[in-house]
Amino acid sequence: MSKIKPSKGAPYARIMGVGGYRPTRVVPNEVILETIDSSDEWIRSRSGIASRHWASDEETVSAMSVEASGKAIADAGITPEQIGGVIVSTVSHFKQTPAVATEIAHKIGAGKPAAFDISAGCAGFGYGLTLAKGMIVEGSAEYVLVIGVERLSDLTDLEDRATAFLFGDGAGAVVVGPSKEPAMGPTVWGSEGDKSDTIKQTVPWDEFHAERPEKFPAITQEGQAVFRWAVFEMAKIAQQALEAAGITADDLDVFIPHQANMRIIDSMVKTLKLPEHVTVARDVETTGNTSAASIPLAMERLLATGQAKSGDTALVIGFGAGLVYAATVVTLP
């Protein structure tokens, strides 16, 4: 018989508060057109993006995260000292170590929480939610801060006609805490490593260090391959998440997919046959693709504008480089 005591965590977990931060600089498509041969009409028709936010030197990964975290903690009605875990999903923090999560934890006054970074691209927020839920249910933390944050303007090739208009900067955060009833469904997540080259960094850091190419590393992708995978395969994953939560599309109030591309979002809505009453996040139009930050930023905007309300049932799904994905059904805070 095991001598290990059983964990004393909460029976369930829930999202208790949400916060977001968008850099002050708004970059319309006209700015992007200064470095690529394209048009505003082409960018909008291909992606649905009209503008995005780019960070200043002062709006670092850490600084944006602190701003978003403060709002999420206040929204949750707790104090920073109660945070027992800080999980940060990002691919654009350029220090390999230490994790930026430790810096953020210190700056928000969280005491001595478990703090670590994860790299799961545009699915990173969903991965973080799942890890946070596990921490709360097992009892290693009462409240966990999950942050998705990116400065993708640092990794954008402004001369690449296929990607220059896609990416934006920002941070979104949620507080996950204990719940007496189910408020986060099982996560359907996974990876397809055979497709890892479809979204990648142009030059690995070791090659950049050794050869010093003229261009700084950037993110590149095979647009059509990613589009087909996202539309057809991710709709299946989203459906599996609904089934895992024991609901159907008719039970949904809100759909918050990763804000990669408006065409992908609209195609997923059609494939999933979502009813007209379901509110769909389309934050990509003015925020661009912010990778791990896109879902919490879209969630925060829907709640702030009244398009979604506390207690709504929402399906969230992230997908991207890896290729990785994570989908779950949650009750909105």
Side-chain angles (χ1 to χ4, degrees):
M1 181 179 293
S2 174
K3 297 180 181 179
I4 300 173
K5 293 181 180 180
S7 61
K8 296 182 179 180
Y12 305 103
R14 69 182 300 117
I15 299 175
M16 299 182 62
V18 60
Y21 180 82
R22 292 171 173 80
T24 55
R25 183 188 177 193
V26 176
V27 180
N29 288 339
E30 285 73 20
V31 173
I32 307 297
L33 296 175
E34 295 174 4
T35 53
I36 61 171
D37 181 16
S38 187
S39 67
D40 178 64
E41 181 183 6
W42 187 88
I43 293 173
R44 289 174 185 258
S45 66
R46 299 288 292 182
S47 68
I49 299 172
S51 61
R52 71 288 293 147
H53 296 255
W54 282 355
S56 66
D57 290 343
E58 291 75 27
E59 292 169 316
T60 63
V61 165
S62 174
M64 292 190 293
S65 297
V66 168
E67 291 291 330
S69 298
K71 296 175 183 177
I73 292 169
D75 192 43
I78 66 170
T79 64
E81 293 82 3
Q82 292 176 274
I83 298 292
V86 178
I87 302 171
V88 178
S89 178
T90 184
V91 299
S92 49
H93 176 59
F94 289 162
K95 281 186 181 178
Q96 193 72 33
T97 192
V100 72
T102 60
E103 178 184 340
I104 294 166
H106 172 68
K107 287 183 175 180
I108 64 173
K112 299 180 180 180
F116 56 95
D117 299 350
I118 58 175
S119 176
C122 305
F125 178 72
Y127 275 54
L129 276 185
T130 305
L131 294 171
K133 178 173 66 173
M135 293 167 70
I136 290 162
V137 172
E138 78 144 12
S140 63
E142 186 175 11
Y143 301 100
V144 179
L145 182 65
V146 180
I147 303 166
V149 57
E150 301 292 3
R151 271 183 56 119
L152 294 179
S153 57
D154 292 334
L155 291 168
T156 298
D157 181 354
L158 294 178
E159 296 179 350
D160 180 2
R161 188 173 184 269
T163 62
F165 57 88
L166 286 176
F167 302 118
D169 303 336
V174 299
V175 172
V176 181
S179 176
K180 294 181 180 179
E181 59 183 17
M184 295 176 67
T187 300
V188 178
W189 56 352
S191 65
E192 297 184 27
D194 59 314
K195 301 179 181 66
S196 61
D197 282 346
T198 55
I199 305 175
K200 63 182 181 180
Q201 184 172 308
T202 52
V203 182
W205 291 120
D206 56 346
E207 292 183 18
F208 182 78
H209 177 73
E211 301 176 12
R212 299 286 175 171
E214 291 184 9
K215 281 192 174 183
F216 191 75
I219 296 175
T220 185
Q221 68 175 25
E222 297 175 17
Q224 286 302 313
V226 172
F227 180 86
R228 288 192 297 269
W229 176 78
V231 169
F232 298 110
E233 297 304 319
M234 291 306 97
K236 298 176 187 176
I237 299 302
Q239 183 60 46
Q240 289 176 32
L242 291 175
E243 294 170 359
I247 66 172
T248 68
D250 290 336
D251 298 312
L252 277 181
D253 300 304
V254 185
F255 178 45
I256 311 177
H258 164 49
Q259 302 293 292
N261 179 307
M262 195 76 79
R263 291 172 62 208
I264 291 176
I265 294 170
D266 290 340
S267 295
M268 289 183 69
V269 169
K270 184 177 180 180
T271 302
L272 286 167
K273 299 179 180 178
L274 295 184
E276 289 187 8
H277 75 262
V278 176
T279 297
V280 179
R282 292 188 170 88
D283 192 46
V284 67
E285 180 180 4
T286 56
T287 305
N289 180 342
T290 55
S291 188
S294 78
I295 291 175
L297 278 174
M299 182 184 296
E300 186 263 352
R301 175 162 280 174
L302 288 176
L303 289 166
T305 58
Q307 297 176 72
K309 63 183 184 300
S310 175
D312 279 353
T313 299
L315 169 63
V316 300
I317 178 169
F319 44 86
L323 292 169
V324 296
Y325 54 86
T328 188
V329 175
V330 302
T331 300
L332 293 183

